[in-house]
Amino acid sequence: MIIVTGGAGFIGSCMVRTLNDAGIEDIIIVDNIASTDKWLNMRNKKYIKYVHKDAFLAELPSYEGVEAIIHLGAQSSTTEKNFDYLWKNNFEYTKILWNYCAEKQISFIYASSAATYGDGAEGFDDRMDIDNLLPLNGYGYSKQLFDLWVKHQAKIFPKQHVGLKFFNVYGPNEYFKGNMASMVYHGYKQIQETGSIKLFKSYNSKYENGKQLRDFVYVKDICNVIFWMLRHPQISDTFNVGTGKAQSFKDMAEAIFRVLGMVPNIVYIDMPGKLKEKYQYYTKADMQKLRDAGYDIPFADLEMGVEDYVCNYLKMNFKIY
């Protein structure tokens, strides 16, 4: 049996799809759906049961035959101001799951974040000393705290422990995320509504408007990495998960227009003041560590990912993956 926390969410539901496609249906989904439409992400999946995240920890000791926990559930908003909530939900909750997997000697694969790298002044190399990283927001810091706990304070270790630092993920099943959904999602919706895409102006002289750079990684590639880790339980470490290529928001916008057969129409708008001081102008995952571990599956480039996402999901009335 495999437990997927956040299993009704964006990456989590895509991971359940990946498991189902591999013939795995012995799955428990843990999440907090509440009044959202995330239940739609579960409707076409095969699993044993759904458990609310607040009830899950009490039930966990009664489960038998758990082979792995894939922990993708978190408060992932980079604008969340309640740090006590981030601490409890992203740090303390993850420690409990770690200790359970260590006691049972099973695999624990969890989401860290590229947000731990802060402004990127120290680079985006997962081989560097994580003690020197300075995240820019509470979310990134809550993820950094767990990585530091593993390094300095963890006393017992699961059979396999893998932390994955996801970069800018986009793809199907993210429709419920509001402002935190990818610009591919928002860009497509803006085109349908106005015929144009709005991008933030640049406030850094090194970058032209729209030329802010991100490592955009397709969600299906994220799931491929997680599944590969499940199939290689001898590997334990923390890894970046991106494409290793930085592309601009303008590149992304133009890719959407190209897939739709339209002439690009990009409008540059002011960035909200609260974002200006904490805005990342560049991210690019160093992927050598994952490749050295043996992962040799190619990642979709931005153009390939956008085409699949737009043509097979967004244009199909936001089809669920």
Side-chain angles (χ1 to χ4, degrees):
M1 181 169 64
I2 295 176
I3 296 170
V4 182
T5 73
F10 171 31
I11 300 175
S13 64
C14 291
M15 190 63 227
V16 174
R17 163 58 55 216
T18 299
L19 293 172
N20 284 175
D21 287 348
I24 300 171
E25 301 179 1
D26 193 13
I27 301 167
I28 291 178
I29 291 176
V30 181
D31 213 307
N32 176 19
I33 296 176
S35 58
T36 71
D37 287 331
K38 287 194 290 183
W39 61 270
L40 291 168
N41 286 342
M42 300 168 58
R43 192 171 55 175
N44 63 345
K45 309 298 190 299
K46 301 294 184 181
Y47 58 97
I48 299 172
K49 65 184 296 189
Y50 161 75
V51 183
H52 190 279
K53 75 178 186 69
D54 291 342
F56 171 61
L57 295 182
E59 288 190 14
L60 182 57
S62 67
Y63 297 155
E64 296 182 359
V66 178
E67 301 172 29
I69 294 180
I70 302 172
H71 182 39
L72 303 172
Q75 168 51 264
S76 60
S77 173
T78 58
T79 58
E80 174 61 54
K81 297 299 183 182
N82 186 343
F83 186 75
D84 288 336
Y85 177 67
L86 289 169
W87 174 278
K88 180 179 180 181
N89 195 71
N90 293 0
F91 177 56
E92 294 291 351
Y93 200 101
T94 310
K95 283 169 57 180
I96 293 171
L97 298 185
W98 170 284
N99 287 330
Y100 172 86
C101 291
E103 178 185 348
K104 300 296 184 180
Q105 281 301 288
I106 60 176
S107 294
F108 184 53
I109 300 173
Y110 67 94
S112 178
S113 174
T116 59
Y117 289 115
D119 64 5
E122 300 295 325
F124 299 94
D125 189 341
D126 47 7
R127 295 164 293 186
M128 73 169 68
D129 186 350
I130 63 173
D131 289 352
N132 299 325
L133 300 180
L134 296 173
L136 293 175
N137 51 59
Y139 162 71
Y141 185 50
S142 69
K143 292 293 188 176
Q144 168 74 344
L145 282 171
F146 185 75
D147 291 343
L148 289 170
W149 179 83
V150 170
K151 177 181 177 181
H152 295 293
Q153 293 178 281
K155 304 301 182 185
I156 55 174
F157 291 79
K159 172 185 176 182
Q160 176 190 32
H161 56 93
V162 177
L164 300 174
K165 293 179 181 285
F166 303 143
F167 278 67
N168 285 73
V169 190
Y170 66 97
N173 301 13
E174 63 170 327
Y175 59 88
F176 65 91
K177 291 176 67 66
N179 291 338
M180 296 306 297
S182 74
M183 268 307 303
V184 182
Y185 172 83
H186 286 298
Y188 176 82
K189 286 192 65 180
Q190 290 171 13
I191 290 173
Q192 302 309 303
E193 295 168 1
T194 68
S196 64
I197 289 180
K198 296 178 181 178
L199 298 179
F200 287 141
K201 294 177 182 177
S202 173
Y203 296 86
N204 184 324
S205 60
K206 296 180 180 179
Y207 299 87
E208 298 176 12
N209 290 338
K211 293 297 185 71
Q212 302 97 318
L213 298 169
R214 292 288 186 275
D215 191 330
F216 298 103
V217 58
Y218 199 33
V219 68
K220 293 183 182 180
D221 289 326
I222 296 284
C223 296
N224 286 340
V225 171
I226 296 173
F227 190 72
W228 186 87
M229 289 296 176
L230 287 174
R231 291 292 182 260
H232 294 80
Q234 74 279 9
I235 294 175
S236 291
D237 213 328
T238 302
F239 298 93
N240 285 339
V241 185
T243 64
K245 183 178 181 180
Q247 294 182 262
S248 71
F249 282 99
K250 184 179 179 182
D251 291 335
M252 175 273 299
E254 290 177 344
I256 300 172
F257 281 111
R258 186 160 49 250
V259 168
L260 295 175
M262 299 174 63
V263 176
N265 182 9
I266 301 172
V267 178
Y268 296 102
I269 62 173
D270 293 334
M271 185 183 298
K274 64 181 180 180
L275 290 180
K276 289 181 181 179
E277 294 181 359
K278 297 181 178 181
Y279 187 79
Q280 285 182 310
Y281 280 83
Y282 173 85
T283 65
K284 179 184 174 184
D286 185 313
M287 296 299 296
Q288 193 59 48
K289 186 176 179 182
L290 184 63
R291 294 305 191 192
D292 288 345
Y295 188 82
D296 58 1
I297 302 172
F299 286 81
D301 62 23
L302 182 60
E303 290 72 20
M304 293 171 56
V306 167
E307 181 175 5
D308 183 58
Y309 186 17
V310 172
C311 291
N312 296 318
Y313 301 96
L314 297 180
K315 287 179 67 177
M316 303 297 290
N317 294 318
F318 299 88
K319 178 183 174 183
I320 302 298
Y321 174 52

